[in-house]
Amino acid sequence: MNRSDTDLTGRLAEYARLAGRLRSVQDGITDVRATADSDDGLVHAVVGGRGELLELELDQRIFRDQDAATLARTIVDTVRDAAAEAGRDAARIAAKLMPHQKPGTEVDPMFGPVLSMLDEGPQAWSRR
């Protein structure tokens, strides 16, 4: 095997390790579930790691008040609270691939790890 083949084999191994780490982050984010309840306890929302609404439960008592605008606002606020929690959980998972992140800096769980690794270059990928 010549040096060019050895370099290529090493690069392919590095890319495979990177892909594996990114898949584990993706799987972790897919598994995230966050919940929130409205202040009055009548709305319950479950949101996934990408902010998608997975479940919405409305207590029957919510229909006693016929104010549709308030109901809509309550649902949106509750889903937003659950999505914010899911986003924080997803960011914690993504941050594991980004050890050089400054404390308090917001991590983009979808692209942050990839961009961080690309910035560091192939030499850093094999160290993780």
Side-chain angles (χ1 to χ4, degrees), residues 42-111:
L42 301 179
V43 178
H44 176 79
V46 178
V47 175
R50 291 178 177 80
E52 71 278 19
L53 180 62
L54 300 173
E55 296 176 32
L56 180 65
E57 297 174 16
L58 304 176
D59 187 291
Q60 291 294 323
R61 295 173 294 158
I62 205 162
F63 299 110
R64 292 180 186 161
D65 182 8
Q66 299 294 319
D67 184 358
T70 299
L71 174 58
R73 215 172 16 258
T74 299
I75 291 171
V76 168
D77 290 347
T78 304
V79 170
R80 186 177 294 132
D81 289 346
E85 180 63 30
R88 286 188 292 273
D89 290 347
R92 279 192 286 276
I93 291 167
K96 292 177 185 176
L97 284 181
M98 303 171 60
H100 304 298
Q101 201 68 19
K102 294 178 184 171
T105 303
E106 190 170 321
V107 173
D108 175 357
M110 299 302 155
F111 297 107

Short mmCIF file of all heavy atoms in Angstrom, two decimals, residues 42-111:
data_model
loop_
_atom_site.label_atom_id
_atom_site.label_comp_id
_atom_site.label_asym_id
_atom_site.label_seq_id
_atom_site.Cartn_x
_atom_site.Cartn_y
_atom_site.Cartn_z
N LEU A 42 -54.87 23.27 32.05
CA LEU A 42 -55.86 22.73 31.12
C LEU A 42 -55.28 22.33 29.77
O LEU A 42 -55.94 21.65 28.99
CB LEU A 42 -57.00 23.75 30.92
CG LEU A 42 -57.75 24.16 32.19
CD1 LEU A 42 -58.82 25.19 31.87
CD2 LEU A 42 -58.34 22.94 32.89
N VAL A 43 -54.05 22.75 29.50
CA VAL A 43 -53.39 22.40 28.23
C VAL A 43 -52.08 21.71 28.55
O VAL A 43 -51.29 22.19 29.36
CB VAL A 43 -53.13 23.66 27.36
CG1 VAL A 43 -52.40 23.30 26.08
CG2 VAL A 43 -54.43 24.38 27.05
N HIS A 44 -51.85 20.58 27.89
CA HIS A 44 -50.61 19.80 28.08
C HIS A 44 -50.04 19.53 26.68
O HIS A 44 -50.74 19.01 25.81
CB HIS A 44 -50.92 18.48 28.80
CG HIS A 44 -49.73 17.59 28.93
ND1 HIS A 44 -48.76 17.78 29.89
CD2 HIS A 44 -49.35 16.50 28.22
CE1 HIS A 44 -47.84 16.84 29.77
NE2 HIS A 44 -48.17 16.05 28.75
N ALA A 45 -48.77 19.89 26.47
CA ALA A 45 -48.12 19.70 25.17
C ALA A 45 -46.85 18.87 25.33
O ALA A 45 -46.12 19.04 26.31
CB ALA A 45 -47.78 21.05 24.54
N VAL A 46 -46.60 18.01 24.35
CA VAL A 46 -45.36 17.24 24.28
C VAL A 46 -44.73 17.57 22.93
O VAL A 46 -45.37 17.49 21.88
CB VAL A 46 -45.62 15.71 24.38
CG1 VAL A 46 -44.31 14.95 24.26
CG2 VAL A 46 -46.33 15.37 25.67
N VAL A 47 -43.44 17.95 22.98
CA VAL A 47 -42.73 18.39 21.79
C VAL A 47 -41.46 17.56 21.65
O VAL A 47 -40.83 17.20 22.64
CB VAL A 47 -42.39 19.90 21.90
CG1 VAL A 47 -41.54 20.36 20.73
CG2 VAL A 47 -43.67 20.71 21.96
N GLY A 48 -41.08 17.25 20.40
CA GLY A 48 -39.86 16.50 20.12
C GLY A 48 -38.65 17.39 20.02
O GLY A 48 -38.74 18.63 20.08
N GLY A 49 -37.50 16.77 19.83
CA GLY A 49 -36.22 17.47 19.81
C GLY A 49 -36.04 18.46 18.67
O GLY A 49 -35.16 19.32 18.72
N ARG A 50 -36.83 18.35 17.65
CA ARG A 50 -36.77 19.31 16.55
C ARG A 50 -37.88 20.36 16.62
O ARG A 50 -38.12 21.08 15.68
CB ARG A 50 -36.82 18.56 15.22
CG ARG A 50 -35.58 17.75 14.98
CD ARG A 50 -35.66 16.95 13.67
NE ARG A 50 -34.41 16.25 13.44
CZ ARG A 50 -34.06 15.11 14.02
NH1 ARG A 50 -34.88 14.54 14.87
NH2 ARG A 50 -32.91 14.54 13.75
N GLY A 51 -38.56 20.37 17.77
CA GLY A 51 -39.60 21.36 17.99
C GLY A 51 -40.96 20.95 17.47
O GLY A 51 -41.90 21.73 17.50
N GLU A 52 -41.10 19.71 17.00
CA GLU A 52 -42.37 19.26 16.44
C GLU A 52 -43.35 18.88 17.54
O GLU A 52 -42.97 18.26 18.53
CB GLU A 52 -42.15 18.09 15.47
CG GLU A 52 -41.76 16.78 16.11
CD GLU A 52 -40.28 16.61 16.44
OE1 GLU A 52 -39.54 17.61 16.53
OE2 GLU A 52 -39.87 15.46 16.65
N LEU A 53 -44.58 19.29 17.38
CA LEU A 53 -45.63 18.97 18.35
C LEU A 53 -45.99 17.50 18.19
O LEU A 53 -46.39 17.05 17.11
CB LEU A 53 -46.86 19.85 18.11
CG LEU A 53 -48.03 19.63 19.04
CD1 LEU A 53 -47.66 19.94 20.49
CD2 LEU A 53 -49.21 20.50 18.60
N LEU A 54 -45.85 16.73 19.27
CA LEU A 54 -46.13 15.30 19.23
C LEU A 54 -47.48 14.96 19.86
O LEU A 54 -48.16 14.05 19.41
CB LEU A 54 -45.02 14.53 19.95
CG LEU A 54 -43.61 14.70 19.38
CD1 LEU A 54 -42.59 14.02 20.27
CD2 LEU A 54 -43.54 14.16 17.96
N GLU A 55 -47.82 15.68 20.91
CA GLU A 55 -49.08 15.44 21.61
C GLU A 55 -49.64 16.76 22.11
O GLU A 55 -48.88 17.64 22.51
CB GLU A 55 -48.88 14.52 22.82
CG GLU A 55 -48.41 13.13 22.51
CD GLU A 55 -48.14 12.33 23.78
OE1 GLU A 55 -48.84 12.56 24.81
OE2 GLU A 55 -47.23 11.50 23.75
N LEU A 56 -50.94 16.84 22.11
CA LEU A 56 -51.63 18.00 22.68
C LEU A 56 -52.87 17.48 23.37
O LEU A 56 -53.71 16.82 22.75
CB LEU A 56 -52.01 19.01 21.59
CG LEU A 56 -52.74 20.26 22.06
CD1 LEU A 56 -51.83 21.09 22.96
CD2 LEU A 56 -53.20 21.07 20.88
N GLU A 57 -52.96 17.75 24.68
CA GLU A 57 -54.12 17.33 25.45
C GLU A 57 -54.82 18.57 25.99
O GLU A 57 -54.18 19.46 26.56
CB GLU A 57 -53.69 16.44 26.62
CG GLU A 57 -53.04 15.14 26.19
CD GLU A 57 -52.50 14.35 27.36
OE1 GLU A 57 -52.86 14.63 28.53
OE2 GLU A 57 -51.69 13.44 27.11
N LEU A 58 -56.13 18.59 25.80
CA LEU A 58 -56.96 19.68 26.30
C LEU A 58 -57.93 19.10 27.32
O LEU A 58 -58.70 18.19 27.01
CB LEU A 58 -57.73 20.35 25.16
CG LEU A 58 -56.90 20.88 23.99
CD1 LEU A 58 -57.81 21.42 22.91
CD2 LEU A 58 -55.93 21.93 24.46
N ASP A 59 -57.89 19.62 28.52
CA ASP A 59 -58.84 19.22 29.55
C ASP A 59 -60.24 19.68 29.13
O ASP A 59 -60.40 20.78 28.58
CB ASP A 59 -58.42 19.87 30.88
CG ASP A 59 -59.23 19.37 32.04
OD1 ASP A 59 -60.45 19.69 32.10
OD2 ASP A 59 -58.66 18.68 32.90
N GLN A 60 -61.24 18.86 29.40
CA GLN A 60 -62.62 19.19 29.02
C GLN A 60 -63.08 20.52 29.60
O GLN A 60 -63.89 21.23 28.99
CB GLN A 60 -63.57 18.07 29.47
CG GLN A 60 -63.41 16.79 28.69
CD GLN A 60 -63.79 16.95 27.23
OE1 GLN A 60 -64.73 17.66 26.88
NE2 GLN A 60 -63.04 16.29 26.36
N ARG A 61 -62.54 20.90 30.75
CA ARG A 61 -62.96 22.15 31.38
C ARG A 61 -62.59 23.38 30.55
O ARG A 61 -63.14 24.45 30.75
CB ARG A 61 -62.34 22.27 32.78
CG ARG A 61 -62.84 21.21 33.75
CD ARG A 61 -62.09 21.25 35.05
NE ARG A 61 -60.70 20.88 34.79
CZ ARG A 61 -59.67 21.18 35.56
NH1 ARG A 61 -59.86 21.89 36.66
NH2 ARG A 61 -58.46 20.79 35.25
N ILE A 62 -61.69 23.19 29.59
CA ILE A 62 -61.24 24.34 28.79
C ILE A 62 -62.37 24.89 27.92
O ILE A 62 -62.36 26.05 27.54
CB ILE A 62 -60.01 23.96 27.94
CG1 ILE A 62 -59.21 25.20 27.61
CG2 ILE A 62 -60.40 23.23 26.66
CD1 ILE A 62 -57.80 24.91 27.16
N PHE A 63 -63.37 24.07 27.65
CA PHE A 63 -64.45 24.49 26.77
C PHE A 63 -65.54 25.27 27.49
O PHE A 63 -66.48 25.75 26.86
CB PHE A 63 -65.04 23.26 26.06
CG PHE A 63 -64.02 22.55 25.21
CD1 PHE A 63 -63.55 21.30 25.57
CD2 PHE A 63 -63.52 23.16 24.07
CE1 PHE A 63 -62.59 20.67 24.80
CE2 PHE A 63 -62.57 22.53 23.30
CZ PHE A 63 -62.10 21.28 23.66
N ARG A 64 -65.41 25.44 28.80
CA ARG A 64 -66.38 26.25 29.55
C ARG A 64 -66.29 27.72 29.16
O ARG A 64 -67.28 28.43 29.13
CB ARG A 64 -66.14 26.10 31.05
CG ARG A 64 -66.46 24.72 31.54
CD ARG A 64 -66.21 24.61 33.03
NE ARG A 64 -66.39 23.22 33.44
CZ ARG A 64 -65.91 22.73 34.53
NH1 ARG A 64 -65.23 23.48 35.38
NH2 ARG A 64 -66.11 21.46 34.84
N ASP A 65 -65.07 28.15 28.86
CA ASP A 65 -64.86 29.53 28.43
C ASP A 65 -64.83 29.53 26.90
O ASP A 65 -64.01 28.86 26.30
CB ASP A 65 -63.53 30.05 28.99
CG ASP A 65 -63.26 31.49 28.61
OD1 ASP A 65 -64.17 32.15 28.05
OD2 ASP A 65 -62.15 31.96 28.88
N GLN A 66 -65.71 30.27 26.29
CA GLN A 66 -65.85 30.26 24.83
C GLN A 66 -64.94 31.28 24.13
O GLN A 66 -65.17 31.61 22.97
CB GLN A 66 -67.31 30.52 24.45
CG GLN A 66 -68.28 29.48 24.98
CD GLN A 66 -68.06 28.12 24.35
OE1 GLN A 66 -67.82 28.01 23.16
NE2 GLN A 66 -68.12 27.07 25.16
N ASP A 67 -63.89 31.73 24.80
CA ASP A 67 -62.99 32.72 24.21
C ASP A 67 -61.91 32.01 23.38
O ASP A 67 -60.90 31.54 23.89
CB ASP A 67 -62.34 33.55 25.33
CG ASP A 67 -61.47 34.67 24.81
OD1 ASP A 67 -61.32 34.80 23.58
OD2 ASP A 67 -60.93 35.41 25.64
N ALA A 68 -62.15 31.93 22.08
CA ALA A 68 -61.25 31.21 21.17
C ALA A 68 -59.86 31.84 21.12
O ALA A 68 -58.85 31.13 21.03
CB ALA A 68 -61.85 31.15 19.76
N ALA A 69 -59.77 33.15 21.18
CA ALA A 69 -58.48 33.83 21.10
C ALA A 69 -57.62 33.49 22.32
O ALA A 69 -56.41 33.24 22.19
CB ALA A 69 -58.67 35.35 21.00
N THR A 70 -58.23 33.46 23.50
CA THR A 70 -57.48 33.09 24.71
C THR A 70 -57.05 31.64 24.64
O THR A 70 -55.91 31.31 24.99
CB THR A 70 -58.35 33.34 25.96
OG1 THR A 70 -58.67 34.73 26.02
CG2 THR A 70 -57.61 32.93 27.22
N LEU A 71 -57.92 30.76 24.19
CA LEU A 71 -57.57 29.35 24.04
C LEU A 71 -56.40 29.19 23.07
O LEU A 71 -55.43 28.49 23.37
CB LEU A 71 -58.77 28.54 23.55
CG LEU A 71 -58.50 27.08 23.22
CD1 LEU A 71 -57.93 26.33 24.41
CD2 LEU A 71 -59.77 26.42 22.70
N ALA A 72 -56.46 29.85 21.95
CA ALA A 72 -55.38 29.76 20.96
C ALA A 72 -54.07 30.25 21.56
O ALA A 72 -53.01 29.62 21.39
CB ALA A 72 -55.73 30.56 19.71
N ARG A 73 -54.11 31.37 22.26
CA ARG A 73 -52.91 31.93 22.88
C ARG A 73 -52.34 30.97 23.93
O ARG A 73 -51.13 30.77 24.02
CB ARG A 73 -53.24 33.30 23.50
CG ARG A 73 -52.16 34.30 23.42
CD ARG A 73 -52.54 35.72 23.86
NE ARG A 73 -53.75 35.89 24.63
CZ ARG A 73 -54.92 36.34 24.14
NH1 ARG A 73 -55.03 36.64 22.86
NH2 ARG A 73 -55.97 36.48 24.92
N THR A 74 -53.22 30.37 24.71
CA THR A 74 -52.79 29.41 25.74
C THR A 74 -52.12 28.20 25.09
O THR A 74 -51.07 27.74 25.55
CB THR A 74 -53.99 28.96 26.60
OG1 THR A 74 -54.55 30.11 27.24
CG2 THR A 74 -53.57 27.94 27.64
N ILE A 75 -52.70 27.69 24.02
CA ILE A 75 -52.11 26.54 23.32
C ILE A 75 -50.75 26.92 22.74
O ILE A 75 -49.76 26.19 22.93
CB ILE A 75 -53.06 26.02 22.23
CG1 ILE A 75 -54.29 25.37 22.87
CG2 ILE A 75 -52.33 25.02 21.31
CD1 ILE A 75 -55.39 25.02 21.88
N VAL A 76 -50.67 28.03 22.07
CA VAL A 76 -49.40 28.47 21.47
C VAL A 76 -48.34 28.67 22.54
O VAL A 76 -47.20 28.22 22.39
CB VAL A 76 -49.60 29.75 20.62
CG1 VAL A 76 -48.26 30.37 20.23
CG2 VAL A 76 -50.42 29.44 19.37
N ASP A 77 -48.69 29.32 23.62
CA ASP A 77 -47.72 29.56 24.70
C ASP A 77 -47.23 28.25 25.32
O ASP A 77 -46.04 28.10 25.60
CB ASP A 77 -48.32 30.45 25.79
CG ASP A 77 -48.52 31.89 25.35
OD1 ASP A 77 -47.97 32.29 24.29
OD2 ASP A 77 -49.25 32.62 26.06
N THR A 78 -48.14 27.31 25.51
CA THR A 78 -47.77 26.02 26.12
C THR A 78 -46.86 25.24 25.18
O THR A 78 -45.84 24.68 25.61
CB THR A 78 -49.03 25.22 26.47
OG1 THR A 78 -49.87 26.01 27.32
CG2 THR A 78 -48.67 23.92 27.17
N VAL A 79 -47.20 25.20 23.90
CA VAL A 79 -46.36 24.50 22.92
C VAL A 79 -45.00 25.19 22.83
O VAL A 79 -43.96 24.53 22.78
CB VAL A 79 -47.05 24.44 21.55
CG1 VAL A 79 -46.10 23.93 20.47
CG2 VAL A 79 -48.29 23.55 21.62
N ARG A 80 -44.98 26.51 22.86
CA ARG A 80 -43.72 27.25 22.80
C ARG A 80 -42.84 26.93 24.01
O ARG A 80 -41.63 26.73 23.87
CB ARG A 80 -43.99 28.75 22.73
CG ARG A 80 -42.72 29.57 22.52
CD ARG A 80 -43.01 31.05 22.38
NE ARG A 80 -43.78 31.28 21.16
CZ ARG A 80 -44.88 32.03 21.08
NH1 ARG A 80 -45.36 32.65 22.15
NH2 ARG A 80 -45.51 32.19 19.94
N ASP A 81 -43.44 26.81 25.19
CA ASP A 81 -42.67 26.46 26.39
C ASP A 81 -42.06 25.06 26.25
O ASP A 81 -40.90 24.84 26.60
CB ASP A 81 -43.56 26.51 27.64
CG ASP A 81 -43.94 27.93 28.03
OD1 ASP A 81 -43.33 28.90 27.52
OD2 ASP A 81 -44.87 28.07 28.87
N ALA A 82 -42.86 24.12 25.77
CA ALA A 82 -42.35 22.75 25.58
C ALA A 82 -41.24 22.74 24.52
O ALA A 82 -40.23 22.06 24.68
CB ALA A 82 -43.48 21.80 25.19
N ALA A 83 -41.43 23.49 23.44
CA ALA A 83 -40.42 23.54 22.37
C ALA A 83 -39.12 24.16 22.88
O ALA A 83 -38.02 23.72 22.50
CB ALA A 83 -40.95 24.33 21.18
N ALA A 84 -39.22 25.16 23.74
CA ALA A 84 -38.01 25.77 24.29
C ALA A 84 -37.24 24.77 25.15
O ALA A 84 -36.01 24.68 25.07
CB ALA A 84 -38.37 27.01 25.12
N GLU A 85 -37.96 23.98 25.94
CA GLU A 85 -37.31 22.95 26.76
C GLU A 85 -36.68 21.88 25.87
O GLU A 85 -35.55 21.45 26.10
CB GLU A 85 -38.32 22.31 27.72
CG GLU A 85 -37.73 21.24 28.60
CD GLU A 85 -36.65 21.75 29.54
OE1 GLU A 85 -36.70 22.92 29.95
OE2 GLU A 85 -35.74 20.96 29.86
N ALA A 86 -37.39 21.46 24.83
CA ALA A 86 -36.84 20.47 23.90
C ALA A 86 -35.60 21.03 23.21
O ALA A 86 -34.61 20.31 23.01
CB ALA A 86 -37.89 20.06 22.86
N GLY A 87 -35.63 22.30 22.85
CA GLY A 87 -34.46 22.93 22.23
C GLY A 87 -33.26 22.96 23.15
O GLY A 87 -32.13 22.72 22.72
N ARG A 88 -33.50 23.22 24.42
CA ARG A 88 -32.40 23.20 25.39
C ARG A 88 -31.82 21.79 25.53
O ARG A 88 -30.60 21.62 25.58
CB ARG A 88 -32.86 23.74 26.75
CG ARG A 88 -33.05 25.26 26.76
CD ARG A 88 -33.33 25.79 28.16
NE ARG A 88 -34.61 25.36 28.68
CZ ARG A 88 -35.77 25.99 28.47
NH1 ARG A 88 -35.80 27.09 27.72
NH2 ARG A 88 -36.89 25.55 29.00
N ASP A 89 -32.69 20.79 25.57
CA ASP A 89 -32.23 19.41 25.66
C ASP A 89 -31.43 19.02 24.42
O ASP A 89 -30.37 18.39 24.51
CB ASP A 89 -33.40 18.45 25.84
CG ASP A 89 -34.07 18.57 27.20
OD1 ASP A 89 -33.49 19.21 28.10
OD2 ASP A 89 -35.18 18.03 27.35
N ALA A 90 -31.92 19.39 23.24
CA ALA A 90 -31.22 19.09 21.99
C ALA A 90 -29.87 19.81 21.93
O ALA A 90 -28.87 19.24 21.49
CB ALA A 90 -32.09 19.49 20.79
N ALA A 91 -29.83 21.03 22.41
CA ALA A 91 -28.57 21.79 22.42
C ALA A 91 -27.54 21.14 23.35
O ALA A 91 -26.35 21.11 23.03
CB ALA A 91 -28.82 23.24 22.84
N ARG A 92 -28.00 20.59 24.49
CA ARG A 92 -27.09 19.89 25.39
C ARG A 92 -26.49 18.66 24.71
O ARG A 92 -25.31 18.36 24.88
CB ARG A 92 -27.79 19.50 26.68
CG ARG A 92 -27.90 20.63 27.69
CD ARG A 92 -28.35 20.14 29.06
NE ARG A 92 -29.75 19.78 29.10
CZ ARG A 92 -30.75 20.63 29.29
NH1 ARG A 92 -30.49 21.92 29.42
NH2 ARG A 92 -31.99 20.22 29.33
N ILE A 93 -27.30 17.96 23.95
CA ILE A 93 -26.81 16.79 23.23
C ILE A 93 -25.80 17.21 22.17
O ILE A 93 -24.72 16.64 22.05
CB ILE A 93 -27.98 16.01 22.59
CG1 ILE A 93 -28.83 15.36 23.69
CG2 ILE A 93 -27.48 14.97 21.60
CD1 ILE A 93 -30.16 14.83 23.21
N ALA A 94 -26.11 18.24 21.41
CA ALA A 94 -25.22 18.72 20.35
C ALA A 94 -23.92 19.28 20.92
O ALA A 94 -22.86 19.13 20.32
CB ALA A 94 -25.93 19.78 19.51
N ALA A 95 -24.01 19.89 22.10
CA ALA A 95 -22.82 20.51 22.70
C ALA A 95 -21.74 19.49 23.03
O ALA A 95 -20.57 19.84 23.14
CB ALA A 95 -23.21 21.29 23.95
N LYS A 96 -22.12 18.23 23.17
CA LYS A 96 -21.13 17.19 23.47
C LYS A 96 -20.11 17.06 22.35
O LYS A 96 -18.99 16.61 22.59
CB LYS A 96 -21.83 15.85 23.69
CG LYS A 96 -22.66 15.82 24.96
CD LYS A 96 -23.39 14.50 25.09
CE LYS A 96 -24.30 14.54 26.31
NZ LYS A 96 -25.09 13.31 26.42
N LEU A 97 -20.47 17.43 21.15
CA LEU A 97 -19.52 17.40 20.03
C LEU A 97 -18.80 18.72 19.86
O LEU A 97 -17.98 18.86 18.96
CB LEU A 97 -20.25 17.07 18.72
CG LEU A 97 -20.66 15.63 18.52
CD1 LEU A 97 -21.33 15.47 17.17
CD2 LEU A 97 -19.48 14.70 18.63
N MET A 98 -19.10 19.69 20.71
CA MET A 98 -18.53 21.02 20.57
C MET A 98 -17.89 21.45 21.88
O MET A 98 -18.38 22.35 22.55
CB MET A 98 -19.64 21.99 20.15
CG MET A 98 -20.33 21.58 18.87
SD MET A 98 -21.79 22.54 18.50
CE MET A 98 -21.10 24.18 18.39
N PRO A 99 -16.79 20.83 22.27
CA PRO A 99 -16.21 21.11 23.58
C PRO A 99 -15.63 22.53 23.72
O PRO A 99 -15.42 22.99 24.82
CB PRO A 99 -15.10 20.07 23.70
CG PRO A 99 -14.72 19.78 22.29
CD PRO A 99 -16.00 19.88 21.51
N HIS A 100 -15.41 23.21 22.63
CA HIS A 100 -14.80 24.54 22.69
C HIS A 100 -15.84 25.65 22.76
O HIS A 100 -15.52 26.81 22.58
CB HIS A 100 -13.87 24.76 21.50
CG HIS A 100 -12.81 23.72 21.39
ND1 HIS A 100 -11.86 23.51 22.36
CD2 HIS A 100 -12.56 22.79 20.43
CE1 HIS A 100 -11.08 22.51 22.01
NE2 HIS A 100 -11.48 22.06 20.85
N GLN A 101 -17.07 25.27 23.03
CA GLN A 101 -18.15 26.24 23.11
C GLN A 101 -17.99 27.09 24.36
O GLN A 101 -17.74 26.57 25.45
CB GLN A 101 -19.48 25.48 23.14
CG GLN A 101 -20.67 26.27 22.74
CD GLN A 101 -20.67 26.66 21.29
OE1 GLN A 101 -19.98 26.09 20.45
NE2 GLN A 101 -21.42 27.66 20.97
N LYS A 102 -18.15 28.39 24.22
CA LYS A 102 -18.07 29.29 25.38
C LYS A 102 -19.31 29.11 26.24
O LYS A 102 -20.42 28.97 25.72
CB LYS A 102 -17.98 30.74 24.90
CG LYS A 102 -16.71 31.05 24.17
CD LYS A 102 -16.70 32.48 23.68
CE LYS A 102 -15.45 32.73 22.85
NZ LYS A 102 -15.48 34.02 22.20
N PRO A 103 -19.15 29.10 27.56
CA PRO A 103 -20.31 28.97 28.44
C PRO A 103 -21.33 30.06 28.16
O PRO A 103 -20.98 31.22 27.95
CB PRO A 103 -19.71 29.13 29.85
CG PRO A 103 -18.27 28.77 29.68
CD PRO A 103 -17.89 29.20 28.28
N GLY A 104 -22.59 29.67 28.14
CA GLY A 104 -23.66 30.62 27.88
C GLY A 104 -23.93 30.88 26.42
O GLY A 104 -24.88 31.57 26.08
N THR A 105 -23.12 30.32 25.54
CA THR A 105 -23.32 30.50 24.11
C THR A 105 -24.38 29.51 23.64
O THR A 105 -24.36 28.34 23.98
CB THR A 105 -22.01 30.23 23.33
OG1 THR A 105 -21.01 31.10 23.83
CG2 THR A 105 -22.20 30.47 21.85
N GLU A 106 -25.31 30.01 22.85
CA GLU A 106 -26.37 29.14 22.35
C GLU A 106 -25.84 28.22 21.26
O GLU A 106 -25.13 28.64 20.36
CB GLU A 106 -27.51 30.00 21.79
CG GLU A 106 -28.75 29.21 21.48
CD GLU A 106 -29.92 30.10 21.16
OE1 GLU A 106 -30.07 31.15 21.80
OE2 GLU A 106 -30.67 29.75 20.24
N VAL A 107 -26.18 26.94 21.35
CA VAL A 107 -25.74 25.95 20.38
C VAL A 107 -26.90 25.64 19.44
O VAL A 107 -28.02 25.42 19.88
CB VAL A 107 -25.32 24.64 21.10
CG1 VAL A 107 -25.02 23.54 20.10
CG2 VAL A 107 -24.12 24.89 21.99
N ASP A 108 -26.62 25.65 18.14
CA ASP A 108 -27.61 25.22 17.15
C ASP A 108 -27.51 23.71 17.05
O ASP A 108 -26.54 23.19 16.51
CB ASP A 108 -27.30 25.87 15.81
CG ASP A 108 -28.22 25.39 14.69
OD1 ASP A 108 -29.07 24.51 14.93
OD2 ASP A 108 -28.07 25.89 13.57
N PRO A 109 -28.49 22.96 17.58
CA PRO A 109 -28.36 21.51 17.61
C PRO A 109 -28.38 20.85 16.24
O PRO A 109 -27.90 19.74 16.08
CB PRO A 109 -29.55 21.05 18.45
CG PRO A 109 -30.50 22.18 18.46
CD PRO A 109 -29.70 23.43 18.22
N MET A 110 -28.89 21.52 15.24
CA MET A 110 -28.96 20.92 13.92
C MET A 110 -27.66 21.05 13.13
O MET A 110 -27.22 20.10 12.50
CB MET A 110 -30.11 21.54 13.10
CG MET A 110 -31.46 21.36 13.72
SD MET A 110 -31.85 19.62 13.96
CE MET A 110 -33.00 19.74 15.28
N PHE A 111 -27.04 22.21 13.18
CA PHE A 111 -25.86 22.43 12.36
C PHE A 111 -24.59 22.75 13.15
O PHE A 111 -23.50 22.67 12.62
CB PHE A 111 -26.12 23.58 11.37
CG PHE A 111 -27.22 23.27 10.41
CD1 PHE A 111 -28.46 23.89 10.53
CD2 PHE A 111 -27.03 22.37 9.38
CE1 PHE A 111 -29.49 23.60 9.65
CE2 PHE A 111 -28.05 22.07 8.50
CZ PHE A 111 -29.28 22.69 8.63
#
